[in-house]
Amino acid sequence: MSENKLLKGMVIGAVVGGALTLLDKDTRVAVKRQSKKIYDNVAEKVRHPKQTIQQFQAKIDSIRQSIEEISEDVRFVAEKAEELKEVGVATKTTIEETKEVLMK
């Protein structure tokens, strides 16, 4: 029961707060301008669904390409890290062998 009152109070508070902020002329103008932009954008998408789908597909393709490039970069770095590890082991072996020779 208290959860219901909490939710109801939050909704009422949001509505009252929103209404109070609209008393300011600058806020009303900004809300109206932003609402018009959103409406125009949605209306454009609805009028031209094929273009919207093509734009969406282009973004997906771009993201996919970026992910592939990042994957290739990570793979390259991993290979270089493995090479460095192998070089480090070989260097350590060479140093130990040189040390043994010099000790004798």
Side-chain angles (χ1 to χ4, degrees):
M1 185 73 170
S2 65
E3 289 179 18
N4 191 16
K5 288 182 182 179
L6 175 64
L7 183 59
K8 186 177 179 180
M10 289 173 62
V11 170
I12 291 171
V15 170
V16 170
L20 287 175
T21 59
L22 290 178
L23 293 176
D24 179 44
K25 183 178 180 180
D26 293 335
T27 303
R28 282 194 314 272
V29 170
V31 168
K32 184 178 178 181
R33 189 176 335 124
Q34 190 64 25
S35 298
K36 174 112 172 80
K37 281 183 184 179
I38 292 170
Y39 174 81
D40 291 344
N41 191 2
V42 169
E44 183 69 21
K45 304 285 187 218
V46 170
R47 277 194 295 266
H48 304 288
K50 286 184 181 179
Q51 182 182 11
T52 301
I53 291 170
Q54 289 172 345
Q55 289 172 346
F56 185 69
Q57 186 63 45
K59 285 195 184 283
I60 289 173
D61 291 342
S62 174
I63 291 169
R64 181 179 295 125
Q65 182 179 359
S66 295
I67 290 171
E68 288 173 1
E69 289 173 2
I70 291 169
S71 178
E72 289 174 13
D73 290 347
V74 168
R75 195 176 6 249
F76 176 78
V77 169
E79 288 172 5
K80 291 303 173 188
E82 186 62 33
E83 288 175 14
L84 284 173
K85 181 180 171 184
E86 292 171 5
V87 167
V89 170
T91 302
K92 180 182 175 189
T93 304
T94 303
I95 291 171
E96 288 173 353
E97 290 172 354
T98 304
K99 179 181 172 184
E100 289 177 16
V101 169
L102 291 175
M103 294 298 257
K104 293 181 182 179

